[in-house]
Amino acid sequence: MYIFIFDFLFILILTFTLMISKLVEARSEETGEHVNRVSEIAKFLAQLSGHSSRDVKLIHGAAALHDIGKVGIPDYILNKPAKLDDKEFAIMKEHTLIGFELLRNSSLKIFQTGAVIALEHHERWDGTGYPYGLEGEQITLESRIVQIADVFEALTQDRCYRPAWPLEKAIEYMNDMKGKQFDPWLIELFNKHLREFVQIVQDKQDEEAN
């Protein structure tokens, strides 16, 4: 009975979380389904990395909140059809801090996890990311998972500033960034199950087209 109630409440919270995230993404001209694809990729990678079924659900939902801080970024920056200049990029980087501040005081675990993911998903394994230059395992595993999901999804989709990369080029980039941008262990898992990750992206694209 307790498990049923927990699952029911979690589904309600997850639905609400996805709705919030889609509202934020709707401001961007590039895609409204970005959060769905990132969440599904992160869910599978969380399963592969040995998380419990409950934590996999948590990461699945919290991953949808990774870019919620973009609600505080001006439209002219979000939808600029060219590379951001240094000043614009500095403003864009603030979405990590904004997202963290929006979520961090919640008593709900999904929002607490989402706050950390929002803050850390642009940190890099080699310490050259933002906002704090964390490196290696200083970055939470959940954030390292979502970062891989976020980047792989972004590379394989059209963006306002560039067309989607060919799949082979996207995969090559993911591997080039092993030990630099990405956790080497997670990239090994990504490579071992590459076909499934590609299928997740393609399945979500098919759903959107129908």
Side-chain angles (χ1 to χ4, degrees):
M1 182 65 177
Y2 172 78
I3 294 175
F4 173 77
I5 293 173
F6 173 84
D7 287 343
F8 177 72
L9 290 175
F10 188 85
I11 289 170
L12 287 179
I13 294 169
L14 177 58
T15 301
F16 179 67
T17 299
L18 289 171
M19 288 173 62
I20 294 173
S21 300
K22 283 190 175 184
L23 284 173
V24 174
E25 289 293 332
R27 292 183 56 226
S28 171
E29 296 174 0
E30 59 199 25
T31 174
E33 295 301 322
H34 170 69
V35 293
N36 281 342
R37 289 190 292 263
V38 170
S39 291
E40 290 299 319
I41 296 168
K43 175 183 177 181
F44 185 50
L45 189 51
Q47 290 172 334
L48 295 175
S49 62
H51 283 79
S52 68
S53 59
R54 181 170 293 188
D55 284 344
V56 167
K57 290 180 182 178
L58 186 66
I59 293 169
H60 182 213
L65 297 166
H66 70 285
D67 272 343
I68 197 167
K70 286 184 177 178
V71 70
I73 305 301
D75 287 345
Y76 80 90
I77 291 179
L78 285 179
N79 297 315
K80 182 178 179 179
K83 184 179 179 179
L84 301 180
D85 62 31
D86 290 345
K87 183 178 179 180
E88 292 166 338
F89 186 54
I91 294 172
M92 176 65 89
K93 289 194 292 186
E94 292 177 3
H95 80 277
T96 57
L97 299 167
I98 295 169
F100 178 71
E101 289 300 322
L102 285 172
L103 299 170
R104 71 185 182 93
N105 291 320
S106 174
S107 60
L108 294 174
K109 183 68 172 176
I110 189 171
F111 292 146
Q112 293 170 355
T113 303
V116 175
I117 289 172
L119 182 67
E120 295 182 353
H121 72 286
H122 284 291
E123 299 286 2
R124 294 169 55 112
W125 185 260
D126 63 6
T128 62
Y130 65 87
Y132 295 128
L134 303 178
E135 62 179 301
E137 293 184 0
Q138 291 178 333
I139 309 163
T140 60
L141 180 55
E142 293 83 359
S143 300
R144 284 179 266 149
I145 286 170
V146 173
Q147 183 195 58
I148 288 175
D150 185 31
V151 173
F152 183 61
E153 192 281 338
L155 293 177
T156 57
Q157 307 301 313
D158 290 334
R159 290 295 182 259
C160 59
Y161 50 88
R162 57 142 179 86
W165 285 15
L167 183 59
E168 295 78 10
K169 182 180 178 181
I171 294 168
E172 181 180 2
Y173 176 86
M174 300 298 291
N175 281 280
D176 285 346
M177 291 297 106
K178 176 182 175 182
K180 300 174 185 177
Q181 184 172 0
F182 305 126
D183 180 333
W185 175 62
L186 291 177
I187 289 297
E188 288 298 322
L189 291 177
F190 174 81
N191 284 324
K192 287 179 181 178
H193 298 270
L194 182 58
R195 189 170 298 177
E196 291 100 315
F197 283 108
V198 172
Q199 192 63 52
I200 289 170
V201 173
Q202 291 176 340
D203 287 348
K204 298 304 289 184
Q205 289 174 327
D206 291 343
E207 288 177 18
E208 294 164 34
N210 293 328

